[in-house]
Amino acid sequence: MTVSAPRKRESHIEPLKHYQMIIDGRPADSASGARIEMICPSDGQVFATIPRSNKEDINLAVAAARRAIDKGSWRHKTPADRGRILMNLSTLIAKHHEELSQLDARDVGKTIKSARNDVTVLSRYYEYYAGAADKTVGTTIPLGKGFTAMTFREPHGVIGAIIPWNSPTQMTGRTTAPALAMGNAIVLKAAEDACLSSIRIAELAIEAGLPPGVLNVVTGIGEEAGAALAAHKDVDFITFTGSPEIGTFVQKAAADHHAGVTLELGGKSPQIVFADANLEEALPVITNAIIANSGQICVAGSRLLVEESAWQKVTKAFAARFNSLITGPHHGDYDFGPLINQKQRDRVLQFIKRAKTRKTPMLAEGSIAPEAPPSGFYVPAILFGPVPTDSELGREEVFGPVLSIIPFKDESDAICIANDTEYGLGAGVWTQDGARALRVAHAVRSGQVYINAFGAGGGVELPFGGFKKSGHGREKGLEALQDFSTTKTIIINHG
Ligand code: ADP
């Protein structure tokens, strides 16, 4: 993403595509006319522009969402009708699978294989919540003779969704599908670095039958558009995924107008490998958990905790694998793609440089494909170990393809190290001892714990969210329906 003046382009380069936002069911430019250039991470070249919206545009989008809730046909739709529209959207996404995948791969720099997987998961989000729309039941509460009390799930109203750039398709599905199933209207602020598929999804939603104003997608810079959305007094609830710093800012802004918030803020997820683990099965899964999306996923398994007695065997196997990993352009058949932008690439390279300066042993380094343009934002896969638990690499979220191996003595030591982090989003436990696996899973403080696995399908069905600095509230699964709605209790005195 850059906001500099448009550059002069060479004649052989394809023309820039100028995308529009979707506000009140129609394509919209920003009121100011300002635009942001979109850069493809694979070659560092500008390939599109998006509107740079500000407070004025956010006001229009929130007003459209409010109208859709208060006056539009949305509020008259039965839950089953809402489900049918979501199912139509799921089907339309499946129909446009390749188009959305290509768009996302170029925008984010992720491999086309990974983008295709994301779009499959996106379609699944709408399918899953389509089925759930008419199945959120309330309760009755015994008050004794003369009274009947019951609860209903009600939509919050207008939801502000602020999402990051690492997976615009999955993030759009994850936030909008359950919120729509519960009858909310949404203003989604997509990330300035990658957002094109979010716009396309909003267009498809209209085709699927979603009334105007129910799903608005705005683009722009975080401090302008994002901050205006978080602070907007007519937004009833905010869902945010991104960095802990901005999450704090968003929550404070929401507190000023008493809006509820769910935050998902990243992690430093441990993979705990005991000596009896099936290394053959663990190795590809653990590797994928740190190179998927070039390590730019909140739940990246960035700490590999290895039982000391298996240190030689495990580090040797991972070093061989990491030395063979290749990063290259999104359209090639590589293990992973470039990082999102120059800033993120420099940040990750600085982490690597500082670790080397501190003499942290580097066990392996993958390579960058010869066809990768030097103007792209590539960082090879890197394996460090042993990494001190109290070092920067052992504690900070790198958000890149860098895996830190940390030795542990026994089960209690493993739990202690796993929990020695400010974060608590995901964890993996690898052992053939079932009782130990469960003991460790219960003891690790994180929102999800996998045993002999990590990441399952798209995780659509699995409640997801953090402990500690990783955030609060739960998305995905049926629990998301609770977070995207609120309880109304009706009490009748009938004598
Ligand atoms: P990342 O480090 O992954 O880019 P950020 O937290 O910076 O994560 O961004 C996540 C989302 O939050 C993006 O859509 C971004 O535009 C938005 N954002 C950034 N700054 C602010 C802010 N001050 N207020 C609201 N949203 C913001």
Side-chain angles (χ1 to χ4, degrees):
M1 182 275 301
T2 174
V3 291
S4 58
R7 298 164 200 178
K8 197 159 175 250
R9 296 169 61 73
E10 291 169 36
S11 56
H12 66 274
I13 299 176
E14 62 183 292
L16 284 187
K17 188 153 182 211
H18 303 291
Y19 287 82
Q20 290 179 294
M21 307 183 283
I22 300 292
I23 297 180
D24 207 10
R26 287 186 296 272
D29 285 315
S30 62
S32 71
R35 292 203 146 255
I36 299 170
E37 292 179 332
M38 303 301 283
I39 294 173
C40 174
S42 291
D43 59 12
Q45 301 300 311
V46 177
F47 72 100
T49 72
I50 52 166
R52 176 177 171 172
S53 66
N54 60 25
K55 201 171 166 185
E56 204 177 329
D57 307 290
I58 297 297
N59 287 344
L60 289 175
V62 173
R66 177 56 61 196
R67 272 197 306 280
I69 283 287
D70 293 345
K71 302 197 178 87
S73 60
W74 189 231
R75 69 196 175 116
H76 300 302
K77 299 264 186 236
T78 63
D81 284 341
R82 293 200 299 264
R84 274 183 212 109
I85 293 172
L86 292 181
M87 197 56 220
N88 289 345
L89 180 52
S90 172
T91 308
L92 271 174
I93 286 164
K95 207 169 129 194
H96 291 266
H97 192 281
E98 189 58 19
E99 175 204 340
L100 282 160
S101 306
Q102 295 288 349
L103 197 59
D104 221 29
R106 188 178 200 186
D107 204 11
V108 184
K110 61 177 66 195
T111 61
I112 184 66
K113 194 170 144 211
S114 158
R116 286 183 185 129
N117 178 59
D118 281 4
V119 178
T120 300
V121 176
L122 168 72
S123 174
R124 174 82 185 114
Y125 269 116
Y126 293 108
E127 178 189 49
Y128 179 81
Y129 289 106
D134 57 357
K135 295 171 192 70
T136 51
V137 294
T139 57
T140 57
I141 300 164
L143 275 188
K145 194 168 174 299
F147 287 92
T148 297
M150 51 204 160
T151 64
F152 298 82
R153 297 308 301 176
E154 296 244 330
H156 289 292
V158 175
I159 302 228
I162 301 175
I163 64 169
W165 43 260
N166 57 354
S167 188
T169 45
Q170 283 213 38
M171 290 305 314
T172 301
R174 179 171 124 187
T175 50
T176 65
L180 293 172
M182 294 312 289
N184 298 281
I186 303 166
V187 176
L188 181 132
K189 151 70 181 84
E192 51 270 50
D193 283 294
C195 57
L196 304 181
S197 53
S198 302
I199 297 172
R200 188 69 185 115
I201 294 163
E203 288 171 356
L204 293 175
I206 296 162
E207 205 178 319
L210 203 67
V214 177
L215 175 56
N216 307 277
V217 171
V218 293
T219 57
I221 293 168
E223 302 90 80
E224 293 173 1
L229 183 59
H232 201 294
K233 291 194 168 35
D234 219 12
V235 171
D236 300 300
F237 188 86
I238 294 173
T239 174
F240 172 85
T241 301
S243 59
E245 299 71 31
I246 304 298
T248 306
F249 185 86
V250 165
Q251 183 157 11
K252 283 182 177 164
D256 281 341
H257 57 104
H258 310 289
V261 176
T262 60
L263 299 177
E264 198 267 87
L265 308 174
K268 191 73 188 173
S269 300
Q271 300 272 15
I272 307 167
V273 176
F274 286 93
D276 68 344
N278 182 333
L279 189 55
E280 219 175 297
E281 278 181 15
L283 190 128
V285 179
I286 293 175
T287 304
N288 190 53
I290 187 65
I291 62 165
N293 214 23
S294 319
Q296 303 169 119
I297 48 174
C298 309
V299 76
S302 52
R303 289 186 298 154
L304 174 53
L305 277 48
V306 176
E307 191 163 10
E308 271 174 7
S309 56
W311 179 263
Q312 288 301 335
K313 184 176 78 169
V314 174
T315 53
K316 197 172 157 214
F318 273 90
R321 182 72 189 108
F322 268 61
N323 279 328
S324 74
L325 291 171
I326 306 173
T327 175
H330 63 274
H331 44 76
D333 186 18
Y334 298 108
D335 294 302
F336 60 98
L339 299 191
I340 186 73
N341 56 29
Q342 183 72 45
K343 186 172 151 220
Q344 184 62 16
R345 177 175 178 265
D346 291 349
R347 184 176 169 274
V348 173
L349 290 177
Q350 285 303 316
F351 270 109
I352 296 167
K353 193 173 162 201
R354 287 193 295 271
K356 284 181 180 167
T357 310
R358 285 172 195 147
K359 308 246 178 312
T360 312
M362 197 172 91
L363 300 175
E365 179 172 8
S367 54
I368 297 174
E371 74 152 325
S375 49
F377 311 126
Y378 299 92
V379 174
I382 308 265
L383 186 65
F384 281 108
V387 172
T389 48
D390 59 355
S391 65
E392 180 185 64
L393 215 49
R395 309 195 79 79
E396 301 288 320
E397 187 181 41
V398 177
F399 230 54
V402 181
L403 182 60
S404 300
I405 316 194
I406 301 169
F408 68 84
K409 286 191 190 58
D410 54 22
E411 187 179 313
S412 68
D413 193 31
I415 293 166
C416 190
I417 296 171
N419 285 336
D420 186 15
T421 166
E422 291 183 292
Y423 293 99
L425 193 57
V429 186
W430 298 85
T431 175
Q432 303 201 41
D433 178 339
R436 176 164 62 192
L438 270 180
R439 279 195 305 273
V440 176
H442 282 295
V444 172
R445 282 187 44 79
S446 71
Q448 284 189 340
V449 184
Y450 285 93
I451 295 172
N452 295 328
F454 199 79
V460 172
E461 306 86 348
L462 309 171
F464 179 72
F467 283 36
K468 305 190 273 183
K469 191 174 164 180
S470 290
H472 52 75
R474 291 292 176 267
E475 295 185 296
K476 306 189 181 184
L478 295 178
E479 284 213 21
L481 300 169
Q482 302 293 312
D483 279 37
F484 283 118
S485 62
T486 190
T487 305
K488 177 179 280 178
T489 310
I490 297 182
I491 307 106
I492 312 158
N493 175 358
H494 43 68

